[in-house]
């Protein structure tokens, strides 16, 4: 069984952050990024940026990270729970959700 570091790398390689964020945030193009209102605080300035590099950053509250960090924060779960939610069983995750 792969360890959490290996499973996190699999999640980052196989799950598009933009797709996961777009499930809960209305995103609009902003140069090479996508921009929207951060769900982690009251945001009216659309301070959340999602990059094509697989990382997000909110310039209002400072939240940042990858697809696993996003899932951990959004669902208030630990790293193992986030990976299980993101990856299908074939990759060592749980039930997974469509990527």
């Amino acid at each position: 069984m792969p360890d959490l570091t290996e499973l996190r790398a699999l999640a980052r390689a196989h799950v598009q952050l933009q797709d996961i964020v777009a499930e809960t945030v209305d995103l609009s193009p902003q140069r090479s990024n996508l921009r929207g209102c951060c769900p982690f605080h009251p945001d009216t300035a659309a301070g959340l940026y999602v990059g094509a590099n697989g990382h997000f950053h909110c310039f209002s509250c400072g939240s940042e990270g990858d697809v696993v960090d996003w899932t951990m924060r959004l669902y208030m779960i630990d790293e193992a729970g986030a990976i299980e939610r993101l990856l299908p069983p074939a990759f060592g995750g749980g039930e997974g959700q469509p990527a």
Side-chain angles (χ1 to χ4, degrees):
M1 175 89 168
D3 66 16
L4 281 179
T5 303
E6 294 169 328
L7 290 172
R8 185 181 193 112
L10 277 173
R12 289 166 58 187
H14 293 282
V15 180
Q16 293 295 315
L17 175 63
Q18 297 98 322
D19 296 339
I20 298 299
V21 174
E23 290 175 0
T24 55
V25 175
D26 289 328
L27 296 171
S28 58
Q30 179 75 28
R31 297 188 185 188
S32 63
N33 298 305
L34 296 172
R35 184 177 180 187
C37 290
C38 181
F40 306 128
H41 66 95
D43 186 7
T44 58
L48 176 69
Y49 286 79
V50 180
N53 64 355
H55 284 83
F56 72 92
H57 181 84
C58 177
F59 286 93
S60 298
C61 74
S63 293
E64 63 183 357
D66 61 17
V67 68
V68 176
D69 296 314
W70 177 269
T71 304
M72 288 169 55
R73 287 213 48 162
L74 188 65
Y75 297 103
M76 294 181 275
I77 55 179
D78 64 7
E79 182 179 26
I83 290 169
E84 185 174 319
R85 185 173 182 89
L86 292 166
L87 290 179
F91 287 110
E95 293 179 26
Q97 68 184 56

